[in-house]
Amino acid sequence: MRETGVCIGVDGMIKKRDVAIISAATTRCGEQWDKGIKDLAWEAGVKAVEEAGISGKDIEYLVVGNMSGGMFVGQEHIGALVADFLGLNPIPSLRVEGACASGGIAFFQGYLAVASGLYDIVAVGGVEKMTDVEQEQATTALSGAMDFEWEAYFGATFPGIYALMARRYMHEYGLKRESLAKVAVKNHYHGSMNPLAHFRNRITVEEALNAPMVADPLGKYDCCPISDGAALVILAPLEIAKKYTDTPIIVKSSVMASDTLSLLRRRDICTLDATVNAAEKAFKLAHLERSQVDVIEVHDCFTIAEILAIEDLGFVKKGEGWKLYEEGETYVGGRLPVNTDGGLKASGHPVGATGVKQIVELVKQLRGEAEKGRQVDNAEVGLAHNVGGSGATAVVTILSRG
Amino acid sequence: MAPPAHWRRAKERYRLLGSKCENCGSIYFPPTKVCPKCRRKGKMVQTEFSGRGKVFSYTIIHAAPKTFEKYTPYILALVELEEGPKVLSQLVDCRPEEVKIGMEVEACFRKLFEQDDEGIISYGFKFRPIDDSWRNKQSQN
C-alpha cells in the first residue's frame, strides 16, 4: 500500500482514479494435457509481464479468479499458488470465486484496488485446469454454480437450467432452434481465426441441429466446452500507464451485480436482471451510449445465453435478439460484432479464467491487434459481460482506447 | 453426502413447503429466512403448497450425472404453483413428447435418487399431469 497513490480531494474524500490496462495475455484454451494449473498461470503471467515491460517487483497486488481448484485438481489456496509460481512473494494475493464469473469478479476487484488509490500496479489473473478429472466430476463441480438443494438435487443439470430458459423464450418470442444454431456457427467462424481458441473448426447449421441432444432444446453445439486455460492483465493508474505502453486501454467502468442463486425465484427467467443492473450502471459510470460500443464479448456458456445477453445489456429489445443472428449482424463487419474470439463456445471456457480472457480479447480488438478477418475496423469502445451460474452474478466492464 | 445433508431438508421436500412473510404476505420457494421486501420487519413462517400448478417451462434431460442416468431421457419441469412461486422437479407419468407449457400438474411423492447401491435413498416431490384435464385435452386432439 502506497500513501503516495491515494488521491485525497479538497474535501478530504478519496477520489476515484482513472484506471488503464497496460498489458493483457492468455494461454491457448483447450485440453492441455502437458500443463497443470501452475504451468497455465505461469504462462499467462509471464506473457503479460513481458508485454508490459515491467519487473515482477513492480506488481503490488494480485487477484486471481478460480472457480473450483478443489474439485478440478484437488488444489485450493490458489492466490498463494499463483503468487508463488510467478515469483511475486510476498505481495498480497487473493483468489476470488463467483462460479463462471470468477474472472470478471477478479477484474472488478483489481479495478477497485487501483481506482481507489490503494495500489498502483495490480495484476488480475484467472486460471482453471478442468481436464484432469473425468467429465462426471467436472460437471459436478460446474453444477455447484446452481442452488444445490433445490435444483441439482432434483435432477437439474447446468445445461438443463439454460434449456428451461430457452424453452420459455421460444414459447414467448418465437425463437427456433435454427437461430440458436446460428449463434454457435458464428462463434465457430470467429474461433476459426483465433489461434488460441479451443475449437478452430467451422460448423454448419445442419451439423449443429443434427448433433446429439444434451438438454432439449439444447444440443451439443449449444453448449460450451470444458477447457484448460489462464489469462492475466496488468492494471495501472492512467496517469502512469503511458510509462509502460503506447496504447493503454482505459477502463471506463467495471460493475458487478447479483441476483437470486436459483432460477426458481427470478422475476423473469428470460431476463438476467443481474446483467440488466450491471449494464445500466456501467453505461452510466462510463458516460457512454450503447450506440458507441464497437465490439462486445458476452457470456455464451450456452447459445441461448448469448441472445439473452445482447438483450439484457440493452443492445436490442427483449425478444428480438435472435433476429440479429438471422440477419448475420453479430459477425465481424456486422452492426454488433459479438464474441470476436469465438466466445465461450469456440474459444473455450476455462471457467475462472473466462472473465479475464474476455478482457484480453477486447484489449486486442481496441489496439487493432486481432488476427485478420476477426478484427473489428477501428474499434474504440468494447464491452465485456461475464456471468456466474444461471445469472446470480454478472460483471459488465467497458473499455476504451486511450 | 452424509445423511444429515439429506435429512435437513426432508420435511420441505416431502411436503412441498415454502416460506411466507406474515408482514407482506409474499410467498417464497425455495424456503428462505428473510423476506427481501420487508427484511427486518418481515416475519417468515413455513407454508404448505397445494402442489397444483402449471408447467412454466421444461427440458428433456439426455445427459445426466450418474445418480440420474437411469432415468434419462427425463422431463425436468419448472412448475408455477397456483400460489405463485416456481418449483423444479421431474415430471413423471408423462412421455417426453406429451409435455407442454401450460399443462396442469400436481405434486406427487416419489423416490428422487439412490446415492449408490448401499447409500441413502432420497425421496421428495415430483410432478405428474392432473389426470382429468390432461387426458381430456389429449382425446380432443
Side-chain angles (χ1 to χ4, degrees):
Chain A
M1 205 184 295
R2 290 179 179 179
E3 266 184 40
T4 50
V6 181
C7 303
I8 306 289
V10 282
D11 51 2
M13 299 292 283
I14 291 177
K15 296 289 182 200
K16 188 166 83 66
R17 297 192 296 182
D18 289 329
V19 179
I21 299 169
I22 57 172
S23 79
T26 72
T27 63
R28 189 175 70 77
C29 285
E31 292 185 35
Q32 304 197 57
W33 296 343
D34 54 337
K35 286 172 191 157
I37 188 167
K38 293 169 182 168
D39 306 306
L40 292 165
W42 177 83
E43 188 183 325
V46 166
K47 271 171 134 178
V49 168
E50 279 181 358
E51 185 195 302
I54 60 171
S55 150
K57 278 190 218 134
D58 297 333
I59 298 173
E60 298 164 79
Y61 179 39
L62 172 66
V63 191
V64 183
N66 175 258
M67 176 179 173
S68 197
M71 296 276 279
F72 290 126
V73 285
Q75 179 72 61
E76 306 290 7
H77 215 163
I78 305 295
L81 177 144
V82 178
D84 181 8
F85 268 76
L86 286 176
L88 296 176
N89 296 143
I91 64 164
S93 179
L94 172 77
R95 172 253 188 112
V96 295
E97 187 274 321
C100 326
S102 302
I105 299 171
F107 186 85
F108 169 65
Q109 286 302 307
Y111 169 74
L112 293 185
V114 179
S116 68
L118 289 175
Y119 293 98
D120 282 342
I121 308 292
V122 171
V124 173
V127 64
E128 209 77 61
K129 174 70 197 175
M130 303 174 76
T131 63
D132 274 358
V133 287
E134 297 294 328
Q135 198 179 329
E136 172 80 12
Q137 196 178 331
T139 49
T140 302
L142 291 170
S143 70
M146 292 187 272
D147 184 326
F148 175 77
E149 284 181 340
W150 301 108
E151 292 180 329
Y153 196 90
F154 285 80
T157 61
F158 206 46
I161 290 288
Y162 274 88
L164 291 169
M165 302 185 201
R167 175 68 66 194
R168 184 71 199 181
Y169 187 102
M170 288 171 151
H171 176 77
E172 289 195 18
Y173 304 112
L175 167 78
K176 299 272 186 292
R177 281 197 72 221
E178 284 74 8
S179 302
L180 290 176
K182 283 173 185 167
V183 177
V185 170
K186 183 265 299 171
N187 283 338
H188 272 261
Y189 176 78
H190 285 161
S192 72
M193 293 174 280
N194 176 5
L196 300 176
H198 188 149
F199 295 125
R200 301 197 58 197
N201 60 317
R202 295 183 186 179
I203 59 163
T204 63
V205 169
E206 290 67 35
E207 277 174 274
L209 291 176
N210 294 328
M213 274 293 176
V214 175
D216 194 339
L218 303 180
K220 190 175 96 174
Y221 284 105
D222 291 296
C223 308
C224 68
I226 284 170
S227 320
D228 303 326
L232 194 129
V233 301
I234 299 176
L235 304 176
L238 181 59
E239 70 227 28
I240 62 168
K242 286 263 182 189
K243 240 171 63 184
Y244 299 99
T245 175
D246 294 335
T247 51
I249 300 300
I250 301 168
V251 185
K252 302 297 283 187
S253 59
S254 182
V255 177
M256 175 181 165
S258 61
D259 198 357
T260 62
L261 181 65
S262 77
L263 187 70
L264 310 182
R265 273 180 56 198
R266 298 283 161 75
R267 181 186 61 79
D268 169 17
I269 69 165
C270 298
T271 304
L272 272 64
D273 278 345
T275 299
V276 174
N277 290 325
E280 280 306 320
K281 196 169 168 191
F283 275 102
K284 210 168 150 192
L285 290 173
H287 302 293
L288 287 166
E289 302 295 329
R290 267 73 172 179
S291 57
Q292 292 172 277
V293 177
D294 302 300
V295 55
I296 65 174
E297 278 286 300
V298 306
H299 197 90
D300 62 311
C301 46
F302 300 95
T303 48
I304 183 66
E306 181 166 317
I307 293 173
L308 299 181
I310 61 170
E311 295 173 350
D312 299 339
L313 290 167
F315 290 102
V316 54
K317 219 176 115 197
K318 180 55 63 186
E320 294 183 359
W322 59 274
K323 292 176 186 166
L324 258 61
Y325 294 84
E326 291 299 312
E327 297 153 4
E329 294 287 6
T330 55
Y331 281 85
V332 168
R335 193 149 48 93
L336 181 71
V338 182
N339 290 339
T340 46
D341 60 349
L344 280 56
K345 174 69 201 78
S347 95
H349 184 26
V351 279
T354 292
V356 184
K357 185 167 73 76
Q358 293 177 321
I359 302 286
V360 176
E361 170 62 10
L362 289 183
V363 168
K364 222 169 175 180
Q365 287 286 340
L366 299 176
R367 285 176 172 170
E369 291 171 354
E371 286 75 17
K372 198 167 171 280
R374 62 179 204 90
Q375 172 67 49
V376 175
D377 281 345
N378 201 27
E380 285 186 9
V381 177
L383 176 146
H385 162 253
N386 190 202
V387 172
S390 59
T393 296
V395 185
V396 173
T397 297
I398 302 178
L399 305 178
S400 86
R401 206 152 64 185
Chain B
M1 269 170 72
H6 297 277
W7 295 338
R8 201 173 298 127
R9 297 281 168 255
K11 206 168 128 193
E12 286 108 319
R13 268 205 323 272
Y14 290 179
R15 289 171 51 202
L16 186 47
L17 301 178
S19 308
K20 183 179 178 177
C21 174
E22 286 195 325
N23 190 48
C24 71
S26 298
I27 303 173
Y28 299 101
F29 191 91
T32 175
K33 290 189 189 305
V34 64
C35 173
K37 290 179 194 157
C38 306
R39 298 179 205 264
R40 198 181 299 187
K41 284 184 200 146
K43 186 174 183 303
M44 299 301 261
V45 293
Q46 217 163 39
T47 182
E48 188 163 353
F49 296 110
S50 70
R52 292 170 73 100
K54 286 180 180 170
V55 173
F56 187 80
S57 190
Y58 66 91
T59 172
I60 319 296
I61 304 283
H62 292 264
K66 279 200 181 94
T67 348
F68 292 97
E69 217 161 34
K70 67 175 179 183
Y71 301 109
T72 56
Y74 58 87
I75 309 169
L76 187 74
L78 183 63
V79 172
E80 187 171 31
L81 298 170
E82 57 186 10
E83 294 89 349
K86 294 187 187 77
V87 177
L88 184 102
S89 195
Q90 282 184 43
L91 178 62
V92 294
D93 300 346
C94 176
R95 287 189 293 271
E97 59 276 17
E98 290 169 343
V99 55
K100 283 188 175 54
I101 287 178
M103 184 181 212
E104 294 188 350
V105 295
E106 63 186 1
C108 51
F109 184 77
R110 295 291 172 104
K111 180 164 82 182
L112 292 180
F113 60 81
E114 291 164 48
Q115 205 169 16
D116 49 55
D117 287 347
E118 294 181 359
I120 279 184
I121 301 173
S122 185
Y123 295 88
F125 58 82
K126 287 186 181 176
F127 288 92
R128 65 178 172 211
I130 293 179
D131 277 357
D132 41 7
S133 72
W134 174 67
R135 291 267 146 70
N136 290 343
K137 270 181 200 159
Q138 289 293 309
S139 57
Q140 277 166 21
N141 291 340

